[in-house]
Amino acid sequence: LRRIILSSLAGTAITSIKIEGVTHEFATLPGVKEDAIMLILALKKVRFIMTGDEPKKAFLKVKGVKAVTAREIDTGGQLEVMNPDLPLATLTEKSAMLNVEIVVERGLGYISKEMIQKDRSEIGVIYLDATFTPIRRASYEVENMRVGDRTDYNRLRFIIETDGTITPHDALEKSIGIMIHQLKAIVGFKESEVETGSRARRMRWVFGPPVEVGG
């Protein structure tokens, strides 16, 4: 269950960005305190909630002297920034301008930028490693528990920390649903029913195809 929590819950992440006037991640940005690498690292921390499964675009357009936060990102109607106060960059000159096109996608686990870039090639686009999972930490503890006069019960305690795009309760609930679905597909319980002559009807659970009950 812990592994499902960590690896099988869908989330969103920025997979590529396009900075106006910048062709690679090692460039400097005129009038901006941070270079492209620092801006990319800051953008990777922005967490989104996205409706639908298709990739969405967001835009960061700012100019003049100011401290830029994730609140400045124009997400349209299908994206929502969950940490709007996250600092992104600092513009230090009146003539400074920052224009960034951001692509946000939904996925599972972690995907390297090489895999994302594999089937795409657009000039000026910087592809990023994407960590989609909304879970930051998941662990569990088993402790003894007393119920009435009995002391041989166990309590299972989960400690789940998320990125704010999903609640720990929902994360646990969805993971249990995934586990049940997967186990049903593997086990394939079937109910067989047999009635012979005057004998009473008998039912039993079997693995795989129905088995005839004789004797």
Side-chain angles (χ1 to χ4, degrees):
L1 184 56
R2 176 179 176 272
R3 290 190 180 191
I4 291 174
I5 292 172
L6 289 172
S7 66
S8 299
L9 294 179
T12 59
I14 297 175
T15 56
S16 67
I17 64 172
K18 189 174 183 179
I19 307 172
E20 186 175 310
V22 173
T23 57
H24 56 82
E25 60 265 39
F26 303 106
T28 57
L29 307 174
V32 181
K33 181 180 179 181
E34 295 79 6
D35 56 19
I37 282 286
M38 295 178 68
L39 176 61
I40 289 170
L41 292 175
L43 285 171
K44 289 178 70 171
K45 296 178 183 178
V46 181
R47 307 310 298 174
F48 296 90
I49 289 181
M50 183 171 74
T51 58
D53 295 324
E54 295 299 318
K56 304 293 189 304
K57 286 187 177 181
F59 300 91
L60 176 62
K61 295 181 180 180
V62 291
K63 61 181 179 179
V65 178
K66 67 184 307 181
V68 183
T69 66
R71 193 182 305 277
E72 307 282 349
I73 298 175
D74 181 8
T75 58
Q78 295 182 309
L79 286 171
E80 181 183 355
V81 177
M82 298 307 295
N83 49 347
D85 296 325
L86 177 72
L88 298 180
T90 305
L91 276 61
T92 57
E93 300 176 7
K94 289 183 179 180
S95 59
M97 181 177 296
L98 187 60
N99 188 356
V100 185
E101 180 183 294
I102 302 166
V103 175
V104 182
E105 298 186 44
R106 182 184 298 278
L108 293 173
Y110 168 85
I111 299 179
S112 67
K113 64 180 180 180
E114 288 77 17
M115 291 297 295
I116 295 172
Q117 189 177 1
K118 188 175 180 180
D119 301 323
R120 315 174 191 180
S121 57
E122 186 178 343
I123 297 174
V125 174
I126 301 172
Y127 295 93
L128 311 180
D129 298 328
T131 302
F132 293 103
T133 178
I135 306 300
R136 290 179 175 171
R137 184 171 66 98
S139 61
Y140 66 90
E141 300 172 352
V142 179
E143 56 189 34
N144 294 329
M145 179 181 178
R146 178 176 183 142
V147 178
D149 295 331
R150 297 189 59 176
T151 59
D152 56 347
Y153 284 91
N154 289 329
R155 175 190 284 119
L156 175 62
R157 187 191 304 276
F158 268 96
I159 299 94
I160 301 172
E161 181 182 342
T162 75
D163 63 2
T165 60
I166 187 174
T167 66
H169 179 276
D170 287 343
L172 180 60
E173 192 173 67
K174 289 183 178 181
S175 298
I176 292 172
I178 291 170
M179 172 177 276
I180 292 172
H181 177 73
Q182 291 176 343
L183 291 178
K184 280 184 177 179
I186 295 171
V187 175
F189 278 118
K190 295 183 183 295
E191 188 179 84
S192 63
E193 180 177 323
V194 179
E195 185 173 357
T196 57
S198 60
R199 288 182 177 272
R201 178 177 299 174
R202 292 183 295 166
M203 302 177 70
R204 72 173 179 178
W205 293 98
V206 297
F207 295 94
V211 176
E212 182 178 349
V213 181

